[in-house]
């Protein structure tokens, strides 16, 4: 009723239209830098120009035929996949325990697990670098996996905890009454209902790890360079048009994963 009343008020209708227009302009201003790279990526290797004089897929061919680019790409995929699996194995029981149970030190443990969300990435990267240097693993794939896992796990916990809060505890209580142990109740009742949240959290963790550059910059070496670090280094020492092709592929990857995550968070599913 209040909405219908607002629609009859010309002043409020004008304010709503002005707000919508302003929001559209702000979104367009933020999106233009990402979208303008797409046509540039279909130019030639001789120049970075918008709009390009000639359209081709030459930059993509150079990217996939050069080990200087495919090596960091494979390294990023490997690190992101392993970090995602480890983060899920940690986050699922952690999120369920935080939401369902009360125990001594719960608040302190929760704050400790969520601390990477509030600590600046540069500070955490420096701390990881100093610690991993002390245990002599800096510059290895193991260091990258551990650093990325620490960084993405809180995001996964938040998404899965939201899914656990949507679950009906009476189903878990009923399974327990029927004689199911905690492990069987968790695997047969909780996990199937949490599948959309787990998958969405995994996709989100993969995307964050794949795009992460600050921690990777501190922890990577010449043999473990990831794709974002390679891009940043290339911008520093040269201006290669191949950067436009890489940026376009990362934009498409981010868009696809965001759409899949949004589809998994549809109304009525745990984790909404």
């Amino acid at each position: 009723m209040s909405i219908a009343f607002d629609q009859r008020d010309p002043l409020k209708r004008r304010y709503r239209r002005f707000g919508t227009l302003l929001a559209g302009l702000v979104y367009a201003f933020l999106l233009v830098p990402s979208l303008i790279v797409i046509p540039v990526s279909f130019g030639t290797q001789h120049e970075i120009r918008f709009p390009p004089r000639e359209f081709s897929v030459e930059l993509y061919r150079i990217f996939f035929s050069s080990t200087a680019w495919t090596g960091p790409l494979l390294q990023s995929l490997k690190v992101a996949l392993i970090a995602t699996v480890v983060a899920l194995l940690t986050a699922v029981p952690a999120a369920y325990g935080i939401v369902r149970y009360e125990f001594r030190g719960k608040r302190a443990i929760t704050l400790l697990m969520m601390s990477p969300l509030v600590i600046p990435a540069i500070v955490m990267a420096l701390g990881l670098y100093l610690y991993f240097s002390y245990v002599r693993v800096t510059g290895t794939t193991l260091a990258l996996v551990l650093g990325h896992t620490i960084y993405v796990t809180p995001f996964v916990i938040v998404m899965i905890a939201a899914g656990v809060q949507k679950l009906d505890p009476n189903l878990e209580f009923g399974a327990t009454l029927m004689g199911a142990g905690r492990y069987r109740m968790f695997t047969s009742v909780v996990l199937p209902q949490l599948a959309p949240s787990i998958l969405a959290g995994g996709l989100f963790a993969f995307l964050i790890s794949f795009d992460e550059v600050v921690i990777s910059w501190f922890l990577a070496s010449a043999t473990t360079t990831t794709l974002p670090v390679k891009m940043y280094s290339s911008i520093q020492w040269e201006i290669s048009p191949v950067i436009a092709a890489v940026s376009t592929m990362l934009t498409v990857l981010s868009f696809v994963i965001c759409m899949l995550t949004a589809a998994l968070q549809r109304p009525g599913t745990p984790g909404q």
Side-chain angles (χ1 to χ4, degrees):
M1 184 175 178
S2 60
I3 295 177
F5 177 77
D6 290 345
Q7 289 177 345
R8 287 196 298 269
D9 188 329
L11 184 59
K12 290 186 177 180
R13 194 163 58 240
R14 289 197 194 107
Y15 276 133
R16 187 178 297 110
R17 289 176 179 172
F18 176 75
T20 303
L21 177 63
L22 183 61
L25 291 174
V26 171
Y27 280 128
F29 178 78
L30 295 175
L31 284 175
V32 163
S34 299
L35 297 179
I36 204 172
V37 174
I38 296 177
V40 174
S41 70
F42 291 98
T44 64
Q45 62 174 317
H46 303 295
E47 61 179 359
I48 299 179
R49 181 186 177 89
F50 177 81
R53 296 175 182 175
E54 300 176 10
F55 286 90
S56 70
V57 292
E58 186 179 3
L59 298 179
Y60 294 92
R61 183 189 59 77
I62 294 174
F63 174 82
F64 286 107
S65 62
S66 171
T67 55
W69 286 104
T70 55
L73 171 63
L74 295 176
Q75 176 70 2
S76 287
L77 289 173
K78 181 169 66 176
V79 171
L81 284 173
I82 299 175
T84 299
V85 172
V86 178
L88 285 175
L89 292 176
T90 306
V92 172
Y96 184 77
I98 289 172
V99 175
R100 280 288 186 265
Y101 299 106
E102 294 293 335
F103 50 88
R104 179 177 296 179
K106 175 181 175 179
R107 179 171 296 181
I109 293 175
T110 303
L111 289 175
L112 179 63
M113 299 189 73
M114 296 299 175
S115 58
L117 290 176
V118 296
I119 297 176
I122 187 71
V123 175
M124 189 167 65
L126 179 60
L128 290 171
Y129 172 76
L130 295 175
Y131 177 70
F132 288 157
S133 296
Y134 181 76
V135 296
R136 300 179 185 277
V137 296
T138 301
T140 64
T141 300
L142 175 63
L144 285 169
V145 169
L146 292 176
H148 284 212
T149 301
I150 293 171
Y151 185 63
V152 304
T153 297
F155 295 95
V156 185
I157 290 177
V158 169
M159 297 188 71
I160 296 178
V164 175
Q165 289 174 342
K166 295 289 183 180
L167 300 183
D168 185 359
N170 292 324
L171 295 176
E172 302 163 37
F173 182 65
T176 305
L177 282 181
M178 296 298 291
R182 286 190 177 183
Y183 175 77
R184 186 170 183 181
M185 181 274 293
F186 185 77
T187 55
S188 60
V189 176
V190 176
L191 282 184
Q193 297 182 83
L194 272 181
S197 296
I198 294 174
L199 186 55
L203 289 171
F204 198 55
F206 177 85
L207 182 61
I208 294 174
S209 175
F210 192 84
D211 286 342
E212 209 292 322
V213 64
V214 178
I215 294 176
S216 301
W217 181 268
F218 275 79
L219 301 181
S221 66
T223 57
T224 59
T225 301
T226 60
L227 187 59
V229 174
K230 170 65 178 175
M231 293 174 65
Y232 189 70
S233 301
S234 298
I235 292 174
Q236 277 192 315
W237 302 110
E238 60 178 340
I239 302 178
S240 171
V242 179
I243 290 289
V246 182
S247 301
T248 300
M249 288 187 285
L250 290 179
T251 301
V252 173
L253 176 67
S254 301
F255 179 77
V256 170
I257 289 182
C258 287
M259 290 297 102
L260 288 175
T261 304
L264 291 169
Q265 300 292 310
R266 65 187 185 279
T269 60
Q272 181 188 2

